[in-house]
Amino acid sequence: MRTLIVIPAVAALLAACSTVEDRGPQGIMAPGDPAKAVMASVETVVTTDPEVDADDPAFWADPRDPSRAVMFGTDKSDGLYVHNLDGTVRQFLPSGPVNNVDLRTGFSVAGREQVLVAASNDAPGANGVNLYLFDPATLTTTDYGFLSTPYEPYGFCMGRRDGTFFLVVTTKAGKVYQMTVAAGPAGPVIGAPRVLTLGSQLEGCVVNDAADTLYVGEEDVGFWRFDFDPAGPTAPTEIARVDRIRIKDDVEGLTILRDRGVEYLIVSSQGDSTYPVFRIEGDQHVYVGRFAIVDGPTIDGVTQTDGLDAFSGPIGRFPEGALAFHDHEDAPNPGQQNFKMVDWRDVRTALGL
């Protein structure tokens, strides 16, 4: 029998290592349905902060000139970045620990059409939702107000139906709060919440305005669909569960991309750094495969994605749509996180869509 002698320093190191989560093989190496490899075309670069705590992106492009485009990206420690589509920083708003971000166009304030941008903020003792106005004429973002909430907001998305704008907040307690937001004479006016319930911690969500539906991710379980009509039924419909074949917990970001008359729901399977894709066919959601983002010649791959976003149609250098993904570690920069942008055509080709 061999005797193992462990000195205290080594014992402490081994104890620390034993608490590190083993996520297993990631990306194209993950067990389950094989993920197809794609590469990122652009990544964001922040030169003023070596430890950006990135989380969630949101695209905007001018429909009259899609080369005029930006991507909003949250920093869970410091605030909201506005990036050009080459990845450089256009603007930074020091809003504190904002987590998820979304936007809707066509929000009229004092007779001027603006883009309403909002982000959940979980600052201890001061949590809520930050609201911003993005001016499509000047490409400038300004603070528009703050909605304080009696609960800790976690995930966030926005929706629009019949000309009314909505904020949607998800929580770790399994609650979803859906509220109207309108422009008042002294700032935003928030309506009373409609409350929806699931069984455990939530985060990612996305509203399909055209179909009047809301998708919500329950991190350890799967993702669900709700009727988005405030007067509609509140029961959830199950879409897909964590099965460790297509989806490995945690379920994180959700987004929708429209291409050639087809809608695709794209999910962040954070547990194995893959992205399952479902074709939306009315009430049916047909799984069509999944992909992972691997190292390219100059841009590293993506792991442990929280938030993601899709833009349907031309935006910046992407003529048929783009996707943006949070990357947990931007190699070769330990401690730095960022966002990667992927050409939708590359995903479409990889999955044979």
Side-chain angles (χ1 to χ4, degrees), residues 34 53 72 95 114 122 133-134 163 190 211 255 318 341 343 353:
D53 192 7
F72 296 88
S95 305
Q114 303 281 289
D122 60 357
L133 293 177
F134 174 75
I190 311 298
T255 192
F318 307 103
M341 302 181 205
D343 193 318
L353 301 177

Side-chain angles (χ1 to χ4, degrees), residues 206-215 225-229 256:
V206 64
V207 178
N208 187 337
D209 293 349
D212 209 21
T213 54
L214 164 67
Y215 295 92
R225 186 188 65 204
F226 287 96
D227 189 328
F228 197 59
D229 183 349
I256 295 172

Side-chain angles (χ1 to χ4, degrees), residues 84-264:
N84 298 305
L85 264 288
D86 63 0
T88 58
V89 175
R90 182 179 192 89
Q91 190 177 351
F92 175 71
L93 295 100
S95 305
V98 289
N99 189 17
N100 285 188
V101 64
D102 204 0
L103 59 83
R104 284 298 183 272
T105 61
F107 188 76
S108 182
V109 179
R112 295 184 61 206
E113 187 172 294
Q114 303 281 289
V115 179
L116 180 64
V117 183
S120 56
N121 188 321
D122 60 357
N127 46 229
V129 177
N130 288 81
L131 293 97
Y132 313 88
L133 293 177
F134 174 75
D135 187 340
T138 64
L139 305 185
T140 301
T141 306
T142 56
D143 288 301
Y144 184 52
F146 182 78
L147 165 64
S148 179
T149 59
Y151 49 84
E152 179 188 357
Y154 198 46
F156 179 79
C157 56
M158 295 177 65
R160 183 178 180 179
R161 67 183 311 272
D162 301 328
T164 300
F165 292 77
F166 289 85
L167 310 175
V168 180
V169 178
T170 67
T171 72
K172 295 178 181 179
K175 298 293 185 183
V176 180
Y177 297 89
Q178 175 184 344
M179 301 158 282
T180 60
V181 56
V189 178
I190 311 298
R194 174 199 190 204
V195 183
L196 306 168
T197 303
L198 286 167
S200 60
Q201 180 166 310
L202 314 176
E203 185 168 7
C205 63
V206 64
V207 178
N208 187 337
D209 293 349
D212 209 21
T213 54
L214 164 67
Y215 295 92
V216 177
E218 189 175 2
E219 289 195 349
D220 294 333
V221 178
F223 59 96
W224 308 78
R225 186 188 65 204
F226 287 96
D227 189 328
F228 197 59
D229 183 349
T234 58
T237 298
E238 179 184 315
I239 303 302
R241 283 192 173 258
V242 169
D243 56 10
R244 303 208 165 191
I245 297 172
R246 302 172 302 172
I247 307 169
K248 183 179 179 182
D249 47 322
D250 291 351
V251 175
E252 291 287 341
L254 308 171
T255 192
I256 295 172
L257 187 139
R258 298 167 182 85
D259 179 45
R260 302 174 178 179
V262 179
E263 290 183 325
Y264 297 98

